Amino acid sequence: MAADLDVVNLFLIAGGTLVLPILAFLASFLLWPSVLIKVYYWYWRRTLGLQVCHADCGGYRFCYSYRGKPGMRPSILMLHGFSAHKDTWLTVVKYLPKHLHIVCVDMPGHEGTTRTNTEDYSIQGQVRRIHQFVTTIHLNRKPFHLVGTSMGGNVAGVYAAFYPSEICSMTLICPDGIKHPCETKFDNHLQDLEHSNYTLNIPLIPTTPEEMEDMFRLCSHVRFKIPQQILQGLVDVRQPHNMFYEEVFMEIFSENSRYALQQHLHLITTPLQVIWGKQDQVVDVSGASVIAESVPGCRVDLLDNCGHSVVMEKPCRTAKLILEFIISQQNARSCTKKSS
């Protein structure tokens, strides 16, 4: 009888051990989806071996994640897009070799990096802050590879124009800041916003699950099936920051920043790779030819069945292309040294 009770207790304990996490997951999914999203990012950072750190400089704090140490290959600094964060790059980092030194930073005012009311969030202002970050963590002890997507691509391109000696090569992914010949769906939204004196909702700043779904449709050619609770969680995570996002949006689409990358293309001497989704509805793919015509030797990789969210839609292909480019540039430099 005692043995039978022990078996029953064992099953009860085992059942409780399994049931409690399941109940916690269901409660988070239904009641606190935003918590579940944060746990998801934390889990994937740990799984991929990324550590989160802070760098302080003159009262300003940068939040970033990193993996690996500087080695034979150049370090890689990744700059995310508007209203995103350092974890945007997790999907790409997953497919990059673990020995590479990778740094993903929260852009000025985003996620864990300091946000102030007096900060300059123009493209040039963000470039200065990113340079401060690079100097603080001594990333520029030797030239590194710079990657930027969307707004981050605009910042990366201007950074290369300002600080050419710090960068050995660069990848721009669907960068904004270019006068592209063809209009997109987002360009039409911008025109409507300007005509309304910015009283209409900004498509990149959703306030409801429905608007969040519309933003995914705008940014992605691939149609992701996202549960309503997760959409709500994403809205909940972003909602407290929407006023800040509006401020940044007005800055980067102002006359001073809107075409900042194009205005600095002639100053870029860094070996350059451009990756673009052919079905981009935010920044038209024709921008790739504009960059290629202005920067001699620019490599252009256009992706089929892919929109603006390249790192989410084609992470494996993106990682492979970046790595191929870094290695090809390193080999080219080695050949040049040998011949000289």
Side-chain angles (χ1 to χ4, degrees):
M1 186 67 179
D4 290 343
L5 285 173
D6 287 342
V7 171
V8 170
N9 288 335
L10 184 63
F11 276 112
L12 287 172
I13 292 168
T17 304
L18 292 171
V19 167
L20 286 174
I22 292 170
L23 288 174
F25 172 82
L26 289 173
S28 297
F29 182 76
L30 296 171
L31 302 175
W32 306 290
S34 59
V35 174
L36 191 62
I37 291 164
K38 291 178 181 178
V39 171
Y40 168 83
Y41 286 129
W42 170 85
Y43 169 79
W44 274 110
R45 283 197 302 269
R46 286 186 61 87
T47 301
L48 297 175
L50 286 158
Q51 298 183 51
V52 175
C53 289
H54 295 89
D56 295 296
C57 182
Y60 195 89
R61 171 175 266 204
F62 300 93
C63 182
Y64 67 102
S65 59
Y66 78 95
R67 185 176 77 183
K69 295 179 179 179
M72 291 183 63
R73 303 283 185 212
S75 297
I76 302 174
L77 174 61
M78 298 180 144
L79 308 181
H80 63 74
F82 168 74
S83 77
H85 45 75
K86 59 187 174 297
D87 293 327
T88 298
W89 297 105
L90 291 175
T91 51
V92 174
V93 171
K94 177 182 176 181
Y95 296 103
L96 289 171
K98 289 190 175 179
H99 66 269
L100 286 179
H101 181 222
I102 299 169
V103 178
C104 308
V105 64
D106 284 327
M107 297 294 281
H110 288 70
E111 195 77 3
T113 292
T114 297
R115 179 183 303 173
T116 67
N117 294 329
T118 58
E119 184 73 9
D120 178 6
Y121 293 109
S122 69
I123 296 302
Q124 292 84 347
Q126 293 192 58
V127 167
R128 286 189 287 272
R129 278 299 187 193
I130 294 301
H131 184 249
Q132 184 183 31
F133 168 71
V134 166
T135 304
T136 301
I137 67 168
H138 308 296
L139 190 64
N140 52 357
R141 280 178 176 168
K142 70 175 190 176
F144 58 90
H145 182 83
L146 183 59
V147 182
T149 183
S150 195
M151 179 192 77
N154 197 348
V155 173
V158 177
Y159 190 104
F162 282 12
Y163 310 103
S165 63
E166 296 188 356
I167 302 170
C168 61
S169 50
M170 178 171 61
T171 301
L172 303 182
I173 304 172
C174 303
D176 63 28
I178 294 292
K179 291 182 181 178
H180 39 271
C182 304
E183 285 192 347
T184 63
K185 188 175 180 180
F186 182 66
D187 290 324
N188 295 330
H189 282 304
L190 277 180
Q191 290 170 14
D192 291 341
L193 277 168
E194 288 167 353
H195 291 150
S196 72
N197 207 17
Y198 292 92
T199 56
L200 295 175
N201 284 346
I202 299 170
L204 299 180
I205 309 178
T207 58
T208 65
E210 292 73 26
E211 288 179 1
M212 178 64 70
E213 198 166 23
D214 289 340
M215 187 182 79
F216 278 120
R217 288 198 189 99
L218 176 67
C219 295
S220 305
H221 177 71
V222 177
R223 291 291 174 255
F224 298 97
K225 292 183 179 179
I226 304 174
Q228 190 74 6
Q229 281 82 4
I230 296 299
L231 291 171
Q232 182 63 61
L234 290 168
V235 171
D236 292 343
V237 168
R238 294 169 60 97
Q239 193 78 43
H241 310 288
N242 278 353
M243 284 186 65
F244 164 71
Y245 294 150
E246 287 177 16
E247 179 186 347
V248 176
F249 183 89
M250 298 301 288
E251 284 271 17
I252 63 177
F253 284 98
S254 67
E255 187 177 345
N256 187 38
S257 292
R258 193 164 186 171
Y259 302 117
L261 176 56
Q262 181 141 3
Q263 291 161 2
H264 291 85
L265 283 176
H266 67 287
L267 297 174
I268 295 176
T269 56
T270 305
L272 174 61
Q273 172 189 42
V274 173
I275 302 175
W276 219 302
K278 287 185 179 179
Q279 285 75 36
D280 194 336
Q281 297 183 89
V282 179
V283 187
D284 192 74
V285 67
S286 58
S289 60
V290 174
I291 296 173
E293 288 168 9
S294 301
V295 182
C298 174
R299 169 176 165 171
V300 176
D301 293 294
L302 304 183
L303 306 184
D304 292 313
N305 301 314
C306 184
H308 188 67
S309 301
V310 170
V311 298
M312 184 170 67
E313 297 176 78
K314 303 283 183 180
C316 182
R317 180 71 176 142
T318 301
K320 185 179 178 182
L321 288 171
I322 292 172
L323 191 59
E324 282 178 0
F325 183 66
I326 290 173
I327 293 172
S328 69
Q329 291 305 311
Q330 216 173 5
N331 291 341
R333 285 192 294 272
S334 297
C335 291
T336 303
K337 287 180 182 178
K338 287 178 182 178
S339 63
S340 60

